[in-house]
Amino acid sequence: EVVHEEVVERRPDGGTFSAEVRRQALRSDGAWIMVVTVRDLSESKAAQAQLELMHEAINAAPDAIVVIDPHTLEYLDVNEATAQMYGTTREQLLARGARGGIRGDASDAQMRQFYAGIIARAPQACTEEVPTRINGHDVVLEFTRRAVNLNGRWLVVSVNRDITERKAA
């Protein structure tokens, strides 16, 4: 049986670190041997904390922010402002993805071509104003999209702002 747990370990200098410990008893030549491996989780914990901080910062933004995979047309993340703008939940938006959004009548091929154009102009941001109807109200949305390449993978980050009042003024 393998025992796997996460613990806090002490360093020789007295400091501590999070560790993943795996213990397994093995039988070899009629004797039992205990194999123990300890993996320092400090870097992965720090990376996780950084991700959570970024997620909270994006969620606090007043504008709708969407991260799109231009190949699968999935939303990788949306903030709460996006859900509020469209009168739905994050979960519903994530499940729907880029299909059925502001360009709901566009085919997958047209959507991919649209995002390919944004990627072709990277790192320049693309901004457009789109009159639309959300929850029975006519609004003008300003979309600012920028393609980013993370480890060889293109993503599109879209920041959406309701500029209806500004246009009226």
Side-chain angles (χ1 to χ4, degrees), residues 1-4 23-26 32 34:
E1 178 180 352
V2 176
V3 177
H4 187 249
R23 297 176 181 90
Q24 183 173 12
L26 301 172
W32 285 100
M34 180 65 73

Side-chain angles (χ1 to χ4, degrees), residues 38-110:
V38 178
R39 186 171 66 123
D40 187 340
L41 297 176
S42 300
E43 285 184 23
S44 64
K45 290 280 189 177
Q48 181 63 35
Q50 184 69 21
L51 281 173
E52 289 172 10
L53 175 67
M54 292 304 299
H55 182 73
E56 290 302 316
I58 289 170
N59 244 352
D63 294 330
I65 301 174
V66 182
V67 180
I68 306 152
D69 182 323
H71 303 290
T72 64
L73 302 179
E74 292 178 356
Y75 288 160
L76 301 178
D77 200 5
V78 299
N79 67 350
E80 288 301 323
T82 306
Q84 290 174 3
M85 178 181 282
Y86 291 99
T88 188
T89 65
R90 283 185 75 247
E91 292 74 21
Q92 289 173 326
L93 287 167
L94 290 169
R96 182 182 74 199
R99 296 173 180 90
I102 201 77
R103 290 179 166 72
D105 57 344
S107 69
D108 284 5
Q110 290 169 319

Side-chain angles (χ1 to χ4, degrees), residues 11 13 17 28 31 43-44 49 78 84 94 101 104 106 113 118 124-125 128 134 139 153 160:
R11 297 186 191 282
D13 65 4
F17 66 100
S28 175
E43 285 184 23
S44 64
V78 299
Q84 290 174 3
L94 290 169
Q113 183 177 13
I118 294 169
Q124 174 186 343
E128 69 176 313
I134 298 177
V139 297
R153 179 182 182 192
N160 313 330

